[in-house]
Amino acid sequence: MQLTTYTQVLKEGEHNLKYKKQNKNNLLLELQQEIEVLAQTKLKNNTQNDTVESVLSHILDSWPIPVCVFDHNLSLIYRNSAMNEQIQQPMLNGTSASSLGFEFNHGQFSHNQFDDKWQNQSISYLNQSQKHWLYSAIDISQILNENQTTTQKNLVRVLSHELRNSLTPMASMADTLLCSEQLNESQTRMVLDRIKSRSERLLAFIGQYSQLAQLPEPQCTWFNFMDILDEAKSMMSTELQVSYKGAALCYGDENQVSQILINLLKNAQESCEKDTSEVSITLYNQQQNQIIEMTDNGPGFANLDNVLTPFYTTKPAGSGIGLSLCDNIVRNHQGQLKVSNLDPHGAKITLVWPIKQVH
């Protein structure tokens, strides 16, 4: 009865009560000692947990990032000051998430106070065998503004460069004609032909940039790879030798993969310093991924670190859009584009994206 009373007191959290010492020959002595060891272990663990919870609570209370915690019933059990200020309504413990304006879908919380300028994160964890959720929101508006400013500067820089390269000679040629007392028909036709050619080049560049900025979601199916490869080869302006080996069928958005091939073949053709560009393409599947490897006999990439950066190019007449467009298309396929140089010369491009079951 004494041991029963002692264990019940310990269960209620009281540790000041001591059990009366027993004779060493008492059969319950070992049981008493084990109970005391368990009680001390529990007391130590509870003290450590209380200390950790106290430290975490103090840290989160002073944290500028809004944070709150919901229990298995989606009821609020904690919120820091930053969350309370952002929600701008009383946030009492025990209040349901829906009453506070939170929506819960597919394991993720959201709130109308946290728009696209906030990065929301919901993390689930187990506490005493019950599921809890920690929700946080990070203000990324400054990062977005900085990225937007950088993008705008790059756009202005590239467009200014392209416009200056095209409009300056066009203005000069037009001025030459206007300064002539009499227009020579052959000279006028030559000038107009050059103005037309440069105008078409500028329009083509703008079209490429528009394509990069408004890439649609891929519609993935299985299709014949040789069909789009033959089409891409037919669009090259100079001779190009292409060797191919691998699977007959390719998985992806046929139109977008076709655009990848056109850009990559054109890139290999322009970079080759020899009379004939030679390209080798291999298509194969590895586990759940599809892999396309392409190598050429050119000099390789001059700067691997910036080769996928939009608008970056080392070619005199390049726009820096071709490889960026390919990279965007591959990433939209949930994949990755990798570039490398071969020894002693040549470049290698590897495209990898997952194969999903088509119903």
Side-chain angles (χ1 to χ4, degrees), residues 11-290:
K11 183 179 178 182
E12 293 173 358
E14 179 61 55
H15 296 276
N16 294 328
L17 181 66
K18 298 297 182 182
Y19 183 65
K20 183 177 69 174
K21 290 186 178 181
Q22 302 295 317
N23 186 284
K24 64 180 181 179
N25 295 322
N26 192 321
L27 295 177
L28 297 177
L29 178 61
E30 290 186 6
L31 178 58
Q32 174 196 348
Q33 292 173 344
E34 290 297 327
I35 292 175
E36 289 178 346
V37 170
L38 286 174
Q40 291 300 319
T41 302
K42 182 180 179 182
L43 176 61
K44 182 179 179 182
N45 290 339
N46 288 343
T47 302
Q48 289 178 342
N49 290 338
D50 291 343
T51 302
V52 171
E53 288 181 2
S54 177
V55 170
L56 289 175
S57 179
H58 279 86
I59 292 175
L60 292 177
D61 283 342
S62 59
W63 217 16
I65 298 175
V67 175
C68 60
V69 179
F70 297 98
D71 64 12
H72 64 288
N73 291 321
L74 302 186
S75 297
L76 182 70
I77 59 175
Y78 172 81
R79 91 289 181 273
N80 65 355
S81 300
M83 177 62 74
N84 200 38
E85 292 175 3
Q86 186 64 31
I87 297 299
Q88 296 182 350
Q89 75 175 80
M91 298 186 68
L92 302 178
N93 286 349
T95 307
S96 66
S98 58
S99 300
L100 296 171
F102 286 92
E103 294 184 4
F104 184 71
N105 294 307
H106 307 293
Q108 298 293 316
F109 286 91
S110 61
H111 196 283
N112 56 15
Q113 288 290 340
F114 301 105
D115 54 20
D116 294 339
K117 295 182 179 180
W118 292 81
Q119 184 180 45
N120 302 298
Q121 186 174 29
S122 301
I123 301 174
S124 63
Y125 66 95
L126 291 179
N127 183 17
Q128 297 180 355
S129 301
Q130 292 183 332
K131 203 168 188 179
H132 287 59
W133 285 269
L134 184 146
Y135 170 80
S136 63
I138 302 176
D139 186 358
I140 58 173
S141 57
Q142 183 176 354
I143 298 175
L144 292 176
N145 290 336
E146 291 175 354
N147 290 340
Q148 184 178 8
T149 300
T150 302
T151 302
Q152 290 174 345
K153 287 181 178 178
N154 284 333
L155 176 59
V156 170
R157 175 177 60 82
V158 173
L159 290 181
S160 298
H161 175 75
E162 290 295 322
L163 289 171
R164 190 181 301 109
N165 284 350
S166 295
L167 295 179
T168 300
M170 289 164 64
S172 177
M173 289 183 289
D175 184 62
T176 301
L177 287 180
L178 292 173
C179 291
S180 302
E181 294 183 1
Q182 292 184 347
L183 294 180
N184 181 281
E185 183 178 353
S186 61
Q187 183 183 22
T188 302
R189 287 184 176 277
M190 181 190 69
V191 169
L192 291 176
D193 183 63
R194 290 181 179 178
I195 290 177
K196 178 177 178 291
S197 175
R198 287 185 175 271
S199 299
E200 289 174 346
R201 181 177 180 276
L202 185 59
L203 288 172
F205 170 81
I206 295 174
Q208 283 183 317
Y209 178 78
S210 177
Q211 187 178 20
L212 178 63
Q214 300 176 358
L215 195 64
E217 287 296 317
Q219 304 298 318
C220 296
T221 58
W222 289 98
F223 58 89
N224 192 308
F225 186 76
M226 285 302 300
D227 288 345
I228 64 170
L229 181 57
D230 290 339
E231 180 184 0
K233 290 192 297 183
S234 67
M235 298 183 66
M236 298 301 108
S237 58
T238 59
E239 185 178 358
L240 181 67
Q241 293 184 0
V242 179
S243 61
Y244 172 74
K245 63 178 179 179
L249 296 180
C250 178
Y251 176 78
D253 186 303
E254 184 173 359
N255 291 330
Q256 293 186 18
V257 177
S258 175
Q259 188 64 47
I260 288 178
L261 286 180
I262 293 172
N263 284 328
L264 293 185
L265 292 181
K266 182 180 178 183
N267 192 68
Q269 187 182 58
E270 292 176 347
S271 64
C272 188
E273 299 172 348
K274 302 177 181 179
D275 295 335
T276 304
S277 301
E278 297 178 1
V279 175
S280 175
I281 300 176
T282 306
L283 168 64
Y284 61 95
N285 299 333
Q286 189 175 71
Q287 296 178 349
Q288 300 300 317
N289 291 324
Q290 177 177 261

